[in-house]
Amino acid sequence: KEKNFEILDMYTKQHEERAMLDGQIQNVVEVANIITEVKEYLEEKHGPLEEVCVAAAGRALKTVRAEVKLLIADRPLTTNEQIKHLELSAVQQAQENLTKEGDIKDYHCVGYSVTHYRLDGDIIGSLIDQTGNEASVEVIATFLPKIVVESLMKALERANLRMRALTLEPIAAIHVLIPESMRRLNVGLIDIGAGTSDIAIANEGTIIAYGMVPVAGDEITEKVSDHYLLDFKQAEMVKRKIVNDKEATVEDILGFEVNVTYDQLVAIIDDSVDHLARLLAEKVTSLNNKSPQAIMLIGGGSLTPMIEEKLANYVQLPPNRVAVRGA
């Protein structure tokens, strides 16, 4: 609608089994079945759905910076297509840079962000109709292992869907939560999901880094599962219920019932939450070369008790500078 997207509908379906681990599809058929259920639910209201845009978790993510230059003395850039061609040339350069590290055939590019456009060496907002000698664009391109992307595409094929576009979860999220007007600030965005925690960093008007940590909400659920002798799915339900209702009654695999309060849960998962917070703090500080001014948390794992406080402590920020952002 005008310049903004309008969300018409949304539907969430949890996996019945652990068909995904750390952002990698373990069982293509199970994942395809879940996608099909979501698709059919939405089709009842909105008619046939044939194409999807996908945001993938950053498992084994590689990020590469690259820059390309173009002489424009006698031929200024006049169309968005010319700008896009320049950007994709930079992505191709990033791909070549990655080749030097290993075998590019094992990786797919899943998205990129422009860090800067430059005119004769000076940063500029747009290159269209600008007069000068040399235009350049610098990008951060992101690559995922072939196995991650291709198993995703196979799951979509089984659900009779075509992939229209592919990006990374933190790229998708940062465009919504941290628009260009806010990127002057040094802000970190962390999407704590089930298997992975995906990270994006903004600063000086641009996105400066992406990264991931292969630890997230599932590790917290595993701790609950181990402590109370619950299967994983039941442990996940108990974790959520205690966070929402402050207590829950659970029955373990031996048939014994126990009542668990919020304070008891916090004590049980403390070590796991501390481990997650420390890994996130180390990654954010490494990507940013220092602590950012603030951190936004999104995703189901961001609702984990004490994660905000522990993360703020590890990145040495005041507690009110680390916050969960909702829909």
Side-chain angles (χ1 to χ4, degrees):
K1 218 173 192 181
E2 296 172 0
K3 287 189 174 182
N4 297 317
F5 286 102
E6 184 178 22
I7 297 173
L8 300 179
D9 206 346
M10 61 181 285
Y11 182 59
T12 304
K13 180 81 180 168
Q14 274 199 284
H15 294 288
E16 296 293 324
E17 308 293 333
R18 296 192 74 182
M20 294 196 72
L21 281 176
D22 298 342
Q24 166 67 51
I25 293 178
Q26 302 291 316
N27 187 324
V28 171
V29 176
E30 284 289 332
V31 172
N33 290 341
I34 293 287
I35 295 171
T36 301
E37 286 184 44
V38 173
K39 177 185 139 184
E40 289 174 350
Y41 175 89
L42 293 170
E43 281 181 329
E44 285 178 17
K45 299 191 209 173
H46 306 284
L49 297 172
E50 296 172 352
E51 294 183 314
V52 284
C53 298
V54 179
R59 177 185 167 87
L61 176 70
K62 284 187 180 286
T63 60
V64 184
R65 285 178 177 269
E67 182 181 25
V68 294
K69 299 175 180 179
L70 182 69
L71 295 175
I72 58 165
D74 303 318
R75 43 177 185 173
L77 301 170
T78 58
T79 67
N80 284 322
E81 284 73 21
Q82 288 174 305
I83 302 296
K84 183 64 74 176
H85 183 268
L86 191 61
E87 291 173 8
L88 293 177
S89 297
V91 172
Q92 196 168 16
Q93 181 60 51
Q95 216 161 15
E96 289 174 17
N97 294 347
L98 185 62
T99 308
K100 295 166 188 171
E101 296 178 24
D103 190 354
I104 186 59
K105 289 183 287 189
D106 292 336
Y107 284 87
H108 282 314
C109 180
V110 291
Y112 72 92
S113 298
V114 173
T115 53
H116 295 297
Y117 298 111
R118 285 189 171 87
L119 183 67
D120 294 337
D122 295 324
I123 293 172
I124 198 156
S126 170
L127 290 170
I128 289 183
D129 281 344
Q130 299 283 8
T131 305
N133 293 313
E134 183 183 77
S136 67
V137 61
E138 183 185 327
V139 302
I140 298 178
T142 57
F143 299 86
L144 286 182
K146 195 174 177 181
I147 184 175
V148 174
V149 179
E150 295 196 348
S151 60
L152 192 53
M153 293 180 77
K154 288 295 181 186
L156 292 176
E157 279 177 29
R158 278 185 170 269
N160 292 318
L161 288 166
R162 289 193 305 277
M163 188 187 287
R164 181 174 175 178
L166 174 65
T167 190
L168 270 182
E169 286 177 358
I171 293 179
I174 204 165
H175 281 293
V176 177
L177 281 168
I178 308 180
E180 287 188 21
S181 59
M182 287 168 57
R183 291 178 196 168
R184 188 183 62 78
L185 302 170
N186 187 199
V187 181
L189 172 72
I190 306 178
D191 177 2
I192 308 176
T196 64
S197 297
D198 298 301
I199 299 165
I201 310 276
N203 197 18
E204 297 176 351
T206 189
I207 300 165
I208 62 166
Y210 293 106
M212 65 83 68
V213 170
V215 178
D218 281 355
E219 274 72 16
I220 312 301
T221 305
E222 284 170 359
K223 187 76 175 193
V224 176
S225 171
D226 291 346
H227 189 86
Y228 289 109
L229 289 182
L230 307 172
D231 70 35
F232 187 85
K233 186 180 174 184
Q234 192 182 9
E236 178 69 23
M237 290 167 59
V238 165
K239 180 182 78 172
R240 288 169 172 230
K241 184 169 175 56
I242 294 171
V243 169
N244 293 328
D245 301 341
K246 303 306 175 192
E247 67 173 346
T249 300
V250 300
E251 183 178 299
D252 65 22
I253 59 170
L254 301 175
F256 295 109
E257 279 195 356
V258 60
N259 191 65
V260 186
T261 66
Y262 182 85
D263 290 339
Q264 288 171 327
L265 176 74
V266 169
I268 289 156
I269 64 175
D270 185 71
D271 287 350
S272 297
V273 178
D274 196 74
H275 176 64
L276 173 58
R278 185 164 46 78
L279 290 177
L280 293 175
E282 287 170 0
K283 192 68 176 181
V284 167
T285 308
S286 164
L287 291 170
N288 196 50
N289 294 321
K290 60 179 180 179
S291 294
Q293 291 173 284
I295 294 176
M296 293 181 186
L297 301 178
I298 60 170
S302 67
L303 304 177
T304 301
M306 299 302 294
I307 189 68
E308 294 164 83
E309 294 87 343
K310 286 179 178 291
L311 183 55
N313 179 51
Y314 278 122
V315 292
Q316 298 178 331
L317 285 176
N320 63 348
R321 289 291 181 92
V322 178
V324 175
R325 290 294 306 268

